[in-house]
Amino acid sequence: MASTFDRIEYPEEQKSIDIAMDAKSVRLDVYVKDDKDTVYNIEMQTSPQSYLPKRSRYYQGMIDLNLIEKGELYDKLNTSYVIFICTFDPFNKGRHVYHFENRCIDDPALAWVMKPTNASSTPAAPTAIDPKLDQVLTFLDTAMPVN
């Protein structure tokens, strides 16, 4: 997922979504909306956790619940992305970036028109990577600036 932005509408750090008193709420690390009303939730993950896919699914659902009101049509849902920036390879497959989307198991060419979930890992992975992303991931992993 490579995107460029003309303008970011509003960044929110530590955005809380609390739908009901007895439901699990979420605190999103960074919540951003761009000039096309696309929503980006960016999460930092520093320790390996096996439930990362379920956490991503839960965050996606909470974001969707926050985007439309009761009685509104589903087509009012904005495109949204949940992006995990990890200081480790979350799937141990040697990749820097993983893209996920909903696809039909019987016909992989058939995909839901929905939003992908992305997970980025450290530059220790052997796959090719954009130099700028490599610098960001190296800095996040080591806290050392990269020239």
Side-chain angles (χ1 to χ4, degrees):
M1 178 186 94
S3 297
T4 58
F5 306 96
D6 292 329
R7 188 179 91 249
I8 294 175
E9 289 285 323
Y10 61 91
E12 288 185 54
E13 294 177 15
Q14 298 291 312
K15 178 180 178 67
S16 292
I17 300 176
D18 195 4
I19 302 297
M21 280 182 42
D22 59 343
K24 183 175 180 72
S25 63
V26 296
R27 184 176 304 138
L28 308 176
D29 289 349
V30 178
Y31 181 92
V32 178
K33 186 188 283 188
D34 70 13
D35 54 340
K36 296 179 181 99
D37 286 335
T38 300
V39 173
Y40 300 86
N41 166 225
I42 304 167
E43 296 292 319
M44 285 294 304
Q45 187 65 45
T46 59
S47 60
Q49 296 177 345
S50 62
Y51 55 79
L52 204 58
K54 287 188 178 182
R55 181 173 158 209
S56 176
R57 178 179 138 201
Y58 190 76
Y59 282 20
Q60 190 73 61
M62 292 295 280
I63 290 167
D64 287 349
L65 283 170
N66 197 52
L67 288 175
I68 60 173
E69 299 295 326
K70 182 178 179 178
E72 286 189 284
L73 299 174
Y74 294 112
D75 63 355
K76 295 267 186 187
L77 281 172
N78 304 40
T79 299
S80 61
Y81 298 91
V82 176
I83 302 167
F84 281 93
I85 299 175
C86 303
T87 58
F88 57 93
D89 182 345
F91 304 102
N92 298 314
K93 297 291 184 183
R95 299 184 56 82
H96 289 285
V97 179
Y98 298 89
H99 296 94
F100 297 92
E101 64 184 4
N102 290 327
R103 291 204 169 270
C104 177
I105 293 170
D106 304 311
D107 183 356
L110 181 61
W112 287 105
V113 180
M114 293 180 61
K115 39 251 160 217
T117 302
N118 303 306
S120 299
S121 67
T122 67
T127 57
I129 188 171
D130 177 275
K132 289 180 183 177
L133 179 58
D134 185 38
Q135 289 179 347
V136 170
L137 293 175
T138 298
F139 175 75
L140 291 173
D141 190 37
T142 64
M144 301 291 291
V146 179
N147 296 333

